[in-house]
Amino acid sequence: MRRPLLLIPFYALAVSVSAQKNNLIQYVDPLIGTAKMGHTFPGATVPFGAVQLSPDTDTVSYDFGGKYNPEVYTFCAGYRYQDPNIVGFSHTHFSGTGHSDLGDFLIMPTQGKLQMNPGTATNPETGFRSRYSHANEKAEPNYYKVLLEDHNIQAELTTSARTGFHRYTFPKKDEAHIILDLISGIYNYEAKNVWTVVSILNDSTVTGYRQTTGWARTRTVYFSMTFSKPFKSYGSKNYDKAQAYKGFWRKFNQEDNFPDLAGHQLRLHFDFDAEAGEAIMVKFALSPVSMSNATANRQAEIPHWNFDKTKTDGQTLWENELGRITAKLPEKKDYVNFYTAMYHAALMPTVYMDTDGSYKGLDHEIHQAKGFTNYTSFSLWDTFRAFHPYLNIVNPSRNADMVQSMMAHYQQSNLKMLPIWSHYANDNWCMSGYHSVSVIADAIIKGVYKGDANEALQACVATARQRRYEGIGVYMDKGYIPSETNSTSVSNTLEYAYDDWCIARLAKHLGKTSIYDEFIKRSENWKNVYDASIGFMRPRLADGSFRKDFDVLETHGQGFIEGNTWNYSLYVPHNPEALMQTMGGEKRLVRYLDSLFTMHLPDAFFANTEDITREGIIGNYVHGNEPAHHVAYLYNITTQPWKTQEKIRMILKNQYDNGSDGLRGNDDAGQMSAWYLFNSMGFYPVAPGSDEYWLGSPLVHNADIRLENGKTFSVESINPGEKNVYVQKVLLNGQPLKSLRLKHADIVNGGKLQFFMGSKRP
Amino acid sequence: MRRPLLLIPFYALAVSVSAQKNNLIQYVDPLIGTAKMGHTFPGATVPFGAVQLSPDTDTVSYDFGGKYNPEVYTFCAGYRYQDPNIVGFSHTHFSGTGHSDLGDFLIMPTQGKLQMNPGTATNPETGFRSRYSHANEKAEPNYYKVLLEDHNIQAELTTSARTGFHRYTFPKKDEAHIILDLISGIYNYEAKNVWTVVSILNDSTVTGYRQTTGWARTRTVYFSMTFSKPFKSYGSKNYDKAQAYKGFWRKFNQEDNFPDLAGHQLRLHFDFDAEAGEAIMVKFALSPVSMSNATANRQAEIPHWNFDKTKTDGQTLWENELGRITAKLPEKKDYVNFYTAMYHAALMPTVYMDTDGSYKGLDHEIHQAKGFTNYTSFSLWDTFRAFHPYLNIVNPSRNADMVQSMMAHYQQSNLKMLPIWSHYANDNWCMSGYHSVSVIADAIIKGVYKGDANEALQACVATARQRRYEGIGVYMDKGYIPSETNSTSVSNTLEYAYDDWCIARLAKHLGKTSIYDEFIKRSENWKNVYDASIGFMRPRLADGSFRKDFDVLETHGQGFIEGNTWNYSLYVPHNPEALMQTMGGEKRLVRYLDSLFTMHLPDAFFANTEDITREGIIGNYVHGNEPAHHVAYLYNITTQPWKTQEKIRMILKNQYDNGSDGLRGNDDAGQMSAWYLFNSMGFYPVAPGSDEYWLGSPLVHNADIRLENGKTFSVESINPGEKNVYVQKVLLNGQPLKSLRLKHADIVNGGKLQFFMGSKRP
């Protein structure tokens, strides 16, 4: 098979700290963001892999008291850098989310006496978990290694798209065990298990599935695992508190080498006689459809026992993925930030179909993805802003497939709605807006999505007219969501207005005048929640009056979500000029922005702001959450665009760093990383759905984006430097740009964008 | 399509009480067995239909206290004749079983104020249930009608193989409701629900599924329903006690016209404006595979809204089924007994595949039944005795498909075992023995099963060598199951020995000498539990001694199940002559049998005997349970076969009657009825797996069995009469029979068997 991406020439970089040819993965540190609020995972995966195999390190133990626990709440990717134990390695993880789920099928090797309980964080020796040290840990794209100290077992992980590949090296001649924990999961796992089935097919092959309810209300994942060496024995334990129906199954001892298991809460162990230094390997494949499909996935993807080959194959995929941009950057740490951002922007959504194209849809039926790759886990409130626009440039065929996946979701939806926050054939309805329409409009207007555009427009319109969803009905009737209706009435109104503008743009693009008229009108609804008397967006009651009890710093329960009105009042990305006028003109806007970035906030504010660290806030500008991600660009519509430039460079510097605590807030399924990538290259999609990018201040010295059409778009900084944050002039293909904006066509046609930099504002 | 069965000429009967041409269904009374211990259901079904749509009448209400309740325990078919309320109409039922499950998807119409709770038996007006009267009830094959008195609603039910068809006639102009109760089910239903999903697709179509654990450990049934008239509104209520994960679903009011539902405990209502006298109809199809398959089943089977046509189509199927035997019988009541027995012997197993042949297998994978109809619900401990042998004569192509279904089960089994008691892609392991091997051997030896006989033999052998199943390992080692191992050690040993003989017979038939040798030896193991010192089979300890504490009348916990040693000691159907010798010869056997049928038992005995009424016992001969079903024939190997004849006629008379209480014990999936059919025609398969039938005393005056090969086998009584129970001579095709045995070939070659009857023993 031809793999055209491999044929793209790769240019070695000629800087003092240069990227080595075909070795961009050296710059990726999957541990970035695993401490504090980053919520990334350090484990192994291929780009957008269905299996993301990573260590889980719970801090609260399996003894879950049922109370809200902030320690659990922060525990979204399964792994926290500061946790002292590894409980095991599970196969599915979200990257950077603020809510969680997944953590399917935890595997843990032990040696010596069999322990079927995970033990507790404070007393790890009471269970199969193990202490570990970061000194003995190594994380690369598609490879993770750690020494499990309690048993001195070397654990290594790699993957293909649907298959996890484990290699456990046992230190001594002794009985070895591999635990398969079907109870474990991320986020309130015990309560989530609905049903589990396991079949031991022979002395080295096991299949099964687990059905959960949780963030995904109805979710089933099937597996097929095989061991490199036959187990000599196996067993299970059923932890069901009330197993009402043992019935005639009592005839069997199901704990001891019994091949046919089912229940709510199961753990299994497989036993081996290990030699000193022996490696026992496990291949563990997933399917959203059936156990036999999981087996077929496993056999199709990894028909061998060559762990290193699978590791290398996946790392080659990463080289290709990262090689889409060749960047020259100031320092080694910038390479690490840049390519780790590219890495984090290629983890979600994940492939959601078997090798034969089948998947379980939102309608609980089996479907075939014909002519596209089906994806799941769309964190759209985050990713419509920069992540999907980033893909439209760097990886458009994937984004086209993601749009098609969203359309399939729509077609399978009883509510006739595009996804809000969807994963594994479920919508979990997290966050607000109907931002699928932004992704769709952007992909169609930019020529990326080649499917039926009129059908897509209809899907957008149907979603935006779904009166029963979060105040849309009253929003359609009144032009805003009354404060009585909804605790996020203002942020919803603002986001709906932007989304409506996307629909209007798409309708215009397709010549659908009446739809354009309807939605361009709706797109002005942001005006209805602006209180000119205080100069902020403000909750408004059904009677038209503004809510009296109101704190402009409050981020929760007062009309907004993940942001206060200081940040949200600027959320009119589709018409910032009108917003500026409404706010009183340029001077007022500049003063507002200056205050936002510099004001001093009380400590209480930080305690109430979720999903970000204190460092994720600059003044009152909250970079760690998304609503203000475009805000620094608003100086561009004033006479002081140099403030955009200095703010962008400040944010790049302050908010992104090497190290496990390098991210200041949730990476949010790649959105934060995509923000970094755009901004470090000097431009940003302020309003996806338009075909424009706004110019900031590039960090890169040079960046070549290799487009799928074979062309290259290059960004160059002339006279770059840490203090040279101000853009003196910009040339596109040698011609001066008339404004600080760039068209999508300018990129896809290939060419060169040159920023002439200086330390003084021009 | 040619329907050859319709071409078979039908001969009118010329007796005073004669069967009318093409109207045998008039003799079927589905209410027989619905009172006391019959455990039959009165609702609508086609022969072996997947949907068996019948009223459910719980007596304990939905307020289930969790305690063992004998009232619940007897409540196996959903309906009890003595119950005063109908709670609703559900789509799946076992017929005549002693344990239960099913009762899927309860539908109930009401009018006026919406009631979402079923109410209680003592206060039916507190819920949607209704009082009813048997005077306003009518049950026919494939048709059930009842007046729901609380709302004066006429309810009518009919079916096709996979689709229930409801017609509800509302008396007055008022709001009408149709409840869909997804909590309800038979036998401990609340605890059984694992997960439920419902999709409202449009204003008249609803799909969904329910997953349960219970007697079937992992079971999912999918549905697709449609209404003849669009509902004006609908709603749901989720009765989950701890619905941990409402999450962002809180954004929706899911109780009011919300199309996307899931949870543990759901009920729905659909609302209509009914005119006075308006009939609203529901078609409700099932699938073991998916909702879309359920829809396809519905559309393929009933593409119209003609209730009467579906009723007539199903009744034509019943005419064809019943028309396989044309009987002349003494009285009207005998016609009712005979054809109701044929009816009851055509309810289980049920079709278990979609119209496209797909079904979910024991391995939880989707399979295609290629070239056969797949069946489920095999109550084999009961049905190997007479039911499957009956099919081998009257309906061999169905039995061949049943054997193939059992083989498919084997192929899908992790344990590599044939079914024990299987339903809906599960084995529930109920009762003892591995009697699949009897059914398979019988079907192959009689030329009925045309599949791979050697593969079938291998399946039998693998099952019989599955050491972990109920003492097989120790049985293989010691020749009996020690009493310490198992509370049913003796009955198991006896049944295994018979089953082993079946395997030996099959092995001999296929020329597999070493298998024959192994299993013919095992078939003698019954001798190892015979205690000559007391003249009974008796629990034996591992050390070889017989258990001291032993009561020959006890039916439970002392080595036997559903029978005491008085009945079980005769359980050597494959070698009764050897048993007679072991017991001390003919005189001893006759005395034993005479005692069995005449002894007087203490009242305590009846209290301890399950699944039968007191009338189900004659002396100590327990006809209401199965182990002694062959016992009356044992006189045939003595010089007093006339005692067989009088006992058979006595049992036919005492144990089978018209009326809801006409059955003396569980009908047991057709076994009791098949016993009746064989014996009323004068012969019986004492040892399935042989090709012989033993002769008794016919009740019929005449019976023509129309064989599938186009030939007819007739039984005739010369000089019949209630007192003429003794057989004076027997002619087969005009030639005197040399013994009181008949070969299977004698039947399938067609011909006439003439019994010359008299009131005195010859």
Side-chain angles (χ1 to χ4, degrees), chain B residues 126-326:
Chain B
T126 59
F128 57 70
R129 70 174 61 208
S130 173
R131 296 171 190 85
Y132 73 108
S133 149
H134 295 300
N136 295 320
E137 184 184 37
K138 187 175 184 183
E140 296 173 11
N142 204 36
Y143 181 65
Y144 177 85
K145 179 167 79 167
V146 72
L147 182 69
L148 300 168
E149 293 175 359
D150 284 26
H151 298 287
N152 201 28
I153 294 167
Q154 188 72 258
E156 295 169 283
L157 312 174
T158 189
T159 70
S160 58
R162 298 163 185 84
T163 310
F165 201 151
H166 309 237
R167 180 163 65 188
Y168 299 118
T169 305
F170 294 90
K172 56 183 178 180
K173 183 176 170 65
D174 195 357
E175 190 167 69
H177 310 286
I178 291 177
I179 305 288
L180 168 59
D181 186 339
L182 295 157
I183 304 173
S184 182
I186 298 169
Y187 222 84
N188 210 5
Y189 34 82
E190 279 192 19
K192 269 159 55 171
N193 287 339
V194 170
W195 198 246
T196 316
V197 163
V198 181
S199 292
I200 287 82
L201 299 185
N202 56 45
D203 65 5
S204 53
T205 310
V206 182
T207 61
Y209 65 82
R210 188 170 63 150
Q211 193 178 344
T212 55
T213 183
W215 212 29
R217 193 171 59 169
T218 302
R219 175 174 176 269
T220 307
V221 188
Y222 300 84
F223 73 85
S224 173
M225 75 188 292
T226 182
F227 295 90
S228 60
K229 172 181 183 170
F231 39 81
K232 62 167 189 172
S233 59
Y234 65 95
S236 71
K237 202 154 158 46
N238 190 334
Y239 293 82
D240 284 6
K241 270 168 199 127
Q243 197 189 346
Y245 282 92
K246 289 181 184 168
F248 295 100
W249 284 89
R250 286 195 192 87
K251 292 180 177 183
F252 297 105
N253 169 7
Q254 294 183 64
E255 297 201 346
D256 179 24
N257 294 290
F258 191 78
D260 207 358
L261 304 166
H264 285 101
Q265 311 284 355
L266 290 178
R267 281 195 201 107
L268 279 80
H269 61 92
F270 301 92
D271 315 314
F272 305 83
D273 286 324
E275 299 299 317
E278 183 177 0
I280 297 177
M281 293 180 284
V282 182
K283 290 186 290 194
F284 198 108
L286 303 186
S287 163
V289 171
S290 67
M291 294 174 286
S292 56
N293 277 22
T295 299
N297 290 341
R298 175 166 59 70
Q299 291 168 341
E301 291 187 344
I302 315 182
H304 54 73
W305 281 107
N306 188 338
F307 181 93
D308 295 327
K309 174 172 161 46
T310 298
K311 174 188 170 191
T312 303
D313 287 351
Q315 293 195 331
T316 301
L317 294 176
W318 277 114
E319 283 298 335
N320 296 339
E321 197 68 31
L322 303 175
R324 290 165 184 261
I325 306 178
T326 313

Side-chain angles (χ1 to χ4, degrees), chain A residues 19-88:
Chain A
Q20 286 173 22
K21 187 174 181 191
N22 283 336
N23 195 0
L24 295 174
I25 63 167
Q26 68 174 308
Y27 299 118
V28 176
D29 181 3
L31 285 160
I32 289 180
T34 58
K36 296 191 174 168
M37 283 291 184
H39 290 192
T40 56
F41 61 82
T45 179
V46 296
F48 306 98
V51 164
Q52 305 193 315
L53 177 55
S54 188
D56 292 338
T57 63
D58 73 341
T59 53
V60 289
S61 89
Y62 280 52
D63 176 21
F64 192 82
K67 289 180 196 158
Y68 176 86
N69 184 329
E71 289 297 298
V72 180
Y73 194 66
T74 62
F75 186 48
C76 292
Y79 177 100
R80 288 204 313 178
Y81 194 79
Q82 59 265 49
D83 288 346
N85 313 143
I86 284 173
V87 184

Side-chain angles (χ1 to χ4, degrees), chain A residues 691-740:
Chain A
D691 61 348
E692 279 188 343
Y693 304 88
W694 293 25
L695 300 190
S697 172
L699 173 69
V700 299
H701 293 186
N702 187 87
D704 291 340
I705 305 175
R706 283 175 193 77
L707 304 168
E708 279 187 356
N709 63 12
K711 297 178 179 171
T712 298
F713 180 73
S714 300
V715 173
E716 190 182 359
S717 296
I718 315 294
N719 190 31
E722 190 176 352
K723 298 197 168 159
N724 297 354
V725 301
Y726 300 110
V727 176
Q728 312 297 313
K729 69 171 175 176
V730 186
L731 300 183
L732 176 65
N733 299 326
Q735 301 297 316
L737 268 188
K738 295 205 176 71
S739 72
L740 289 172

